[in-house]
C-alpha cells in the first residue's frame, strides 16, 4: 500500500501542472482593442551652421493597425522665425526628393544662397497642412562653440598579433557658459585624400572612461553635457585614434588627415539623441521597458533642433 500511495503522489503534481497550465493560459490570453488614432502632423528638422540646404521632414502620423506610407502632405508649408521675423520660408515650391533611390521621400527643401548662419536666439518653427491643426516648436540657436585642442602623435603604443598599434591623443577643452546648459557633440574624423577629393569617416582609439562623455549612435558623435551646472569642468576631454605602424595598411601615409568637429547644440537636441539611443538599445531586449522618442513639437511627434558647428584640422 505504501508503494501505491507514493505512485499516486508522484503523478498528482504532474496532473496539477497540466491542469494549472491550461487554466493559466485561458486566464491570460486576451484580445486588446487598440484605441482609435487621430492623425496629427509630425515634423523633424535639424539645422546646422554651414549647411547649404535647409531640409524639413513633414508627414502625418498613422496607427499600428492601419499604417500608411511616409508621404509629404499636400499643401504643406512652414516658416522659421526669430523675434517674429521670417528667416526661412518653405512653400509648395520647396518640395524635393531626399535620400537614395531605394528610400527616397519628398520633403520641404530650401537651397540657400549662402551657408546657413543663424544669429543666436530663440527660434520658432511653424508648420501648416491644410485641414490640420498647425504644428509649432521652438529651439535655441547657440553661439559659435569656444574650445581649445592639443594633439599628441604616438601618445601610446602596444604590440598585438598584427604589429605595433600606435595611439594618437587629442585633448579638447570646451567652454561652459554660466547660466546656460551647454550640450556638445564631438567627432574625430580621418580623411583619406584621393586627388582633389577627401573621404571622411569617424575614427576611434581607446575606450573612453570619462563619465562626462557618451557616444551616441543617433548623431555618431560623443555627447558632452554640462547638465546645466555652472562650473562643471569640460577640460581635457580625451579622444584618440588607433593605427598600425607604417608596415601595415598604410598607417603612416601622408594622404591621411585628421579633423575635429565640434557641435554646440540646442539642449533639447541632446535629449532627442539620447532618447533615440535608449529606444534603439531596447528594440532587441525582451525585458527592456518601453521607451519613447523625445519630442519638442506641439503635436508630440518629431523634433526641431539647431546646431552651431566648427570644423578644424588637427595638426
Amino acid at each position: 500500500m505504501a508503494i501505491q500511495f507514493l505512485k499516486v503522489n508522484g503523478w498528482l503534481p504532474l496532473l496539477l501542472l497540466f491542469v494549472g497550465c491550461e487554466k493559466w493560459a485561458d486566464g491570460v490570453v486576451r484580445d486588446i482593442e487598440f484605441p482609435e488614432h487621430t492623425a496629427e502632423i509630425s515634423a523633424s528638422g535639424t539645422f546646422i551652421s554651414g549647411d547649404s540646404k535647409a531640409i524639413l521632414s513633414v508627414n502625418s502620423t498613422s496607427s499600428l493597425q492601419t499604417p500608411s506610407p511616409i508621404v509629404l502632405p499636400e499643401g504643406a508649408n512652414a516658416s522659421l522665425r526669430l523675434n517674429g521675423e521670417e528667416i526661412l520660408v518653405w512653400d509648395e515650391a520647396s518640395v524635393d526628393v531626399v535620400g537614395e533611390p531605394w528610400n527616397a521621400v519628398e520633403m520641404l527643401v530650401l537651397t540657400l544662397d549662402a551657408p546657413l548662419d543663424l544669429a543666436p536666439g530663440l527660434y520658432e518653427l511653424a508648420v501648416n497642412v491644410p485641414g490640420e491643426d498647425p504644428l509649432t516648436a521652438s529651439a535655441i540657436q547657440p553661439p559659435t562653440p569656444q574650445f581649445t585642442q592639443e594633439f599628441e602623435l604616438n601618445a601610446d603604443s602596444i604590440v598585438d598579433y598584427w604589429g605595433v598599434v600606435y595611439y594618437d591623443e587629442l585633448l579638447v577643452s570646451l567652454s561652459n557658459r554660466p547660466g546656460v546648459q551647454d550640450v556638445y557633440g564631438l567627432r574625430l574624423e580621418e580623411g583619406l585624400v584621393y586627388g582633389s577629393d577627401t573621404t571622411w569617416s569617424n575614427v576611434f582609439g581607446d575606450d573612453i572612461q570619462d563619465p562626462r562623455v557618451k557616444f551616441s549612435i543617433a548623431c555618431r558623435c560623443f555627447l558632452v553635457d554640462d547638465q546645466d551646472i555652472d562650473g562643471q569642468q569640460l577640460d581635457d576631454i580625451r579622444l584618440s585614434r588607433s593605427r598600425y605602424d607604417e608596415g601595415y595598411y598604410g598607417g603612416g601615409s601622408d594622404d591621411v588627415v585628421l579633423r575635429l568637429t565640434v557641435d554646440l547644440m540646442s539642449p533639447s537636441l541632446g535629449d532627442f539623441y539620447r532618447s533615440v539611443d535608449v529606444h534603439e538599445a531596447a528594440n532587441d531586449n525582451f525585458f527592456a521597458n518601453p521607451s519613447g522618442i523625445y519630442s519638442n513639437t506641439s503635436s508630440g511627434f518629431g523634433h526641431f533642433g539647431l546646431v552651431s558647428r566648427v570644423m578644424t584640422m588637427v595638426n
Side-chain angles (χ1 to χ4, degrees), residues 70-92:
I70 300 175
V71 295
L72 178 69
E74 187 174 352
N77 61 86
S79 64
L80 184 65
R81 298 172 181 264
L82 175 64
N83 299 325
E85 179 184 355
E86 288 186 339
I87 305 300
L88 298 175
V89 177
W90 296 263
D91 55 26
E92 294 186 33

Side-chain angles (χ1 to χ4, degrees), residues 54-254:
I55 302 175
L56 184 65
S57 171
V58 180
N59 51 70
S60 295
T61 63
S62 61
S63 71
L64 293 175
Q65 291 178 303
T66 56
S68 58
I70 300 175
V71 295
L72 178 69
E74 187 174 352
N77 61 86
S79 64
L80 184 65
R81 298 172 181 264
L82 175 64
N83 299 325
E85 179 184 355
E86 288 186 339
I87 305 300
L88 298 175
V89 177
W90 296 263
D91 55 26
E92 294 186 33
S94 307
V95 178
D96 201 354
V97 175
V98 177
E100 301 297 334
W102 57 86
N103 64 355
V105 294
E106 286 187 333
M107 298 186 185
L108 296 178
V109 181
L110 283 180
T111 300
L112 306 175
D113 295 331
L116 187 65
D117 184 17
L118 298 177
L122 179 63
Y123 285 78
E124 303 286 341
L125 176 70
V127 180
N128 294 284
V129 172
E132 302 284 352
D133 292 334
L135 176 146
T136 59
S138 62
I140 297 173
Q141 170 66 35
T144 302
Q146 302 297 315
F147 64 94
T148 61
Q149 58 162 308
E150 181 180 346
F151 181 69
E152 183 179 356
L153 188 68
N154 300 333
D156 198 1
S157 65
I158 63 171
V159 178
D160 69 5
Y161 180 81
W162 301 103
V164 180
V165 182
Y166 292 98
Y167 291 94
D168 304 324
E169 186 175 274
L170 180 67
L171 292 179
V172 182
S173 294
L174 304 167
S175 172
N176 182 358
R177 297 172 294 161
V180 179
Q181 183 179 1
D182 287 316
V183 181
Y184 290 92
L186 304 179
R187 294 180 192 84
L188 181 58
E189 299 171 291
E190 185 177 71
L192 298 178
V193 181
Y194 301 95
S196 59
D197 296 327
T198 303
T199 302
W200 295 97
S201 60
N202 280 13
V203 294
F204 304 95
D206 284 339
D207 291 337
I208 296 179
Q209 305 298 328
D210 193 332
R212 301 171 299 175
V213 182
K214 175 72 173 178
F215 185 75
S216 169
I217 295 296
C219 67
R220 294 197 58 78
C221 69
F222 292 101
L223 289 176
V224 182
D225 192 336
D226 70 2
Q227 302 296 320
D228 204 14
I229 300 174
D230 289 344
Q232 176 83 285
Q233 293 298 311
L234 302 181
D235 297 336
D236 296 335
I237 294 170
R238 179 177 172 274
L239 306 178
S240 65
R241 171 184 68 159
S242 63
R243 57 181 175 82
Y244 285 93
D245 61 358
E246 296 185 13
Y248 290 88
Y249 314 120
S253 173
D254 293 334

Side-chain angles (χ1 to χ4, degrees), residues 268-297:
S268 64
L269 186 55
D271 294 331
F272 171 72
Y273 286 144
R274 282 187 285 266
S275 72
V276 172
D277 291 336
V278 172
H279 180 79
E280 290 298 314
N283 273 347
D284 297 325
N285 186 349
F286 180 78
F287 299 100
N289 291 324
S291 60
I293 303 297
Y294 177 85
S295 173
N296 64 348
T297 70

